[in-house]
Structures are given as structure tokens and as C-alpha cells.
Amino acid sequence: MANIHVSSHVGLGDQIYLHAVLRELRGEGREVWVGTPWPALWEDIGVHPVNIGLCGLVAQDRERRGTPESVWTTPPAGAIYRCANYLAHASIVEALRFGVGVREGVLQREIDFRLRVPPHWFPRGFPPGDFVLFRPPSIRSVGIYLSRTPHVNVMRRVLRRLVEGCRRLIVVGDLTPAYEWLEDDGLLTGCPDVQCYRYLRGELHWTEIAALAQAANLVVTSPCFLLPLSLAVGANVLCAYGGHYPPSMLIPRTAGVKPLYTELAPEPFCDCRDPVHVCRKDIPDERVDATVDAALARLLGRDRDFCSYWFGIQ
């Protein structure tokens, strides 16, 4: 089998999708090298990380500077180079499979999307107990996606309905002045009774966020890296959408045990693929409430005591 050297998008969410696809190449008996700023992502499947250098993106460059030189590897001479990018009208998984050259006939097959979370990823000092993990929508000055974030009123209503009676809410982000900021500064003000822990300045490493997602009773997010990360670690997820990419492009058809996944998306969905398009993002309040209630009912079917305590359901 030929050695493969893969290049692709360097966002953490992008590379979580790629992680699942390169697992398939490894399953074919191939040795694989990948250009990445996230070397810890590849440890569980034995893919070799290749240093891409500094790229001008805050999170990626911070990760690169914090990684010892001994971690990086060099593809051997003669390795086949493949560039895996997205296609206009395919799911992300299908596009990446096509780009790296997986075996013919598997482009739409269910995929093993799991990411192993070793115990040392869990952040120290967090007391045990139930919690909701929440990442508020943010806007960046680089790679801006105004169309992708949900309407601020939709996210406010989702959050307010979820955290009634919630004992602990952990809020994560990576805000940087003039680079990344919250789309709605007042999002959390409607939850005064929540015991809220805020880590909005990149205090938590992405591996710690992965461990928290796996331990959380529920992850509430918009279409950002936390969506594929949470699905990969088996978390229960509620995702609120705006426009741009439809959910069908982002949610992999996974094999094996499937976590609870609930989506809130405008109807009709603005499938514009334009990052700065002014999409129609409104979702009627009654549909927001019904969707959230249905998600809670599914959780209730799994663990009545948990839901009665956590969400105040009788």
C-alpha cells in the first residue's frame, strides 16, 4: 500500500471530519501523514502529524507554538500527495472521502466518527456533577461566517428554556479583541439563577473541551467546531442553525451507537453557501419550544430522574 500525505482545511472542526475519513485509510493498511496544527487529534488512529507552520489564525498558531518540535513528522519520499477540500454539493464527509481517495463505492457509507478521549484530557479542578456545556455564537474578522450563526433571539429562547432549574452551566469560547467576539453580548443575562462558569478567553484547551463535552448531560451549540467534536465524543447535542450550509452537509451518517442529536433550523433553509449573505434565520417561538421539549422528552425516556432534576420535568 502506498504512503499518503494529506493536506486539507486547518480548522479544528474541519479536521475532526477528516479524522474519521483518515481512519478509513488507516483501515486499508496505509500509512498516512496529515498537515495539521492539532497533533493530539491524530494519536488514537496512528496518523502522523506534519507541521504546517504559522498560518495567521489565532487558535492554530497558539497550538503550533505550544507543540514540541519532536511531535512533528516528515512524510517519506514518494508519498502520494492528496488535497482534501469541500465540494459544492456534497456532504463534508463525502467530499473529504473523494479528496483522499477512499475505495470506490464507499462515498455514502456510514462512517466511524468516534474520537477517543483519554482520561488526562479532562480539566483538573472541575467538581463532579451534572452540567450543560454551551458555546455562544461568535463572529471572527478572519474567515467570517455571518450567515452561519443562528438568530440571536432563537438562541436566547433555546438557552432560557434549557437552563430553567439547571444547577451548572459551563460556557466556553476563544474570544480575542479585534479577532473574535460574541455576536450577542447579552445572551447569558436571561439566566440569572444559573450557576455559570465562563471560560470565554481560550482558557480551556480543545482537548479539555472535548472531555467536558463527553461528560456533559447536554451540549448546546451553533454550527462551529463544537458540533462535530461533540458528535465524535458521543455527546448529546442541540444545535441551532442560521443559514449557509444545510445540516445535511454537516451531520455524518455514523455507524454504531448514535448520541441524541437535535437541530433547530429555519424553514425554508437558506442554502446560499455565501458566508456574508443576510439569510432569513427566524424560527417561530412555538417551534423552538416544541423542538426543545422533544429533545428533553427523548432524554426523559433515557433517564427520568436525571431529567426531573435537571430540567424540572415532572
Side-chain angles (χ1 to χ4, degrees):
M1 288 282 185
N3 296 320
I4 304 292
H5 176 200
V6 176
S7 173
S8 187
H9 299 287
V10 296
L12 179 55
D14 302 309
Q15 296 224 326
I16 292 167
Y17 289 104
L18 186 63
H19 173 276
V21 173
L22 296 193
R23 184 202 303 274
E24 294 181 317
L25 283 186
R26 292 285 291 135
E28 295 177 7
R30 298 178 184 270
E31 287 294 314
V32 182
W33 283 256
V34 63
T36 183
W38 318 102
L41 179 61
W42 307 99
E43 293 173 354
D44 65 330
I45 59 173
V47 167
H48 309 290
V50 177
N51 182 8
I52 62 169
L54 301 179
C55 61
L57 300 174
V58 170
Q60 286 83 342
D61 288 352
R62 181 177 59 226
E63 189 78 6
R64 169 64 188 86
R65 293 188 182 99
T67 301
E69 291 298 325
S70 59
V71 169
W72 304 111
T73 61
T74 301
I80 297 174
Y81 179 79
R82 289 175 178 162
C83 184
N85 291 314
Y86 300 161
L87 303 176
H89 299 288
S91 74
I92 292 177
V93 166
E94 290 170 5
L96 293 176
R97 278 172 162 168
F98 180 83
V100 304
V102 297
R103 295 190 307 273
E104 190 71 23
V106 302
L107 290 182
Q108 298 184 20
R109 186 182 62 189
E110 289 188 337
I111 194 166
D112 184 349
F113 204 66
R114 293 172 299 167
L115 173 65
R116 182 178 61 86
V117 177
H120 68 268
W121 281 15
F122 197 86
R124 295 181 179 180
F126 271 83
D130 296 328
F131 65 92
V132 168
L133 182 66
F134 175 61
R135 188 178 192 275
S138 60
I139 300 295
R140 293 178 187 160
S141 58
V142 177
I144 191 167
Y145 279 91
L146 295 174
S147 60
R148 189 169 62 182
T149 58
H151 196 289
V152 293
N153 291 338
V154 170
M155 188 57 88
R156 284 189 177 199
R157 193 170 185 92
V158 168
L159 186 61
R160 182 170 63 249
R161 199 163 183 88
L162 281 172
V163 300
E164 272 186 3
C166 171
R167 304 300 175 87
R168 191 160 46 146
L169 178 70
I170 298 177
V171 186
V172 296
D174 197 359
L175 307 181
T176 304
Y179 179 81
E180 184 168 354
W181 57 94
L182 290 182
E183 185 175 21
D184 179 10
D185 285 333
L187 181 61
L188 298 174
T189 59
C191 308
D193 297 325
V194 175
Q195 188 176 1
C196 183
Y197 298 79
R198 304 187 189 205
Y199 302 91
L200 289 168
R201 304 289 176 183
E203 297 93 338
L204 296 177
H205 191 260
W206 77 264
T207 55
E208 295 176 307
I209 294 175
L212 287 173
Q214 188 177 71
N217 300 107
L218 185 69
V219 177
V220 182
T221 186
S222 59
C224 63
F225 81 89
L226 190 53
L227 174 59
L229 180 61
S230 298
L231 295 173
V233 301
N236 298 320
V237 184
L238 190 150
C239 185
Y241 293 84
H244 190 72
Y245 283 141
S248 59
M249 288 191 65
L250 303 178
I251 304 303
R253 297 176 61 248
T254 55
V257 177
K258 299 175 176 61
L260 182 150
Y261 162 73
T262 302
E263 66 187 40
L264 260 175
E267 294 178 355
F269 190 88
C270 184
D271 189 7
C272 60
R273 318 297 170 92
D274 181 349
V276 295
H277 183 245
V278 182
C279 305
R280 179 189 172 278
K281 301 180 181 181
D282 299 285
I283 302 175
D285 289 348
E286 55 270 22
R287 187 155 72 85
V288 174
D289 295 347
T291 302
V292 175
D293 290 347
L296 300 185
R298 291 173 65 187
L299 282 174
L300 184 62
R302 295 184 177 195
D303 189 340
R304 174 176 296 273
D305 291 336
F306 156 67
C307 285
S308 296
Y309 163 75
W310 190 252
F311 296 107
I313 299 176
Q314 303 302 318

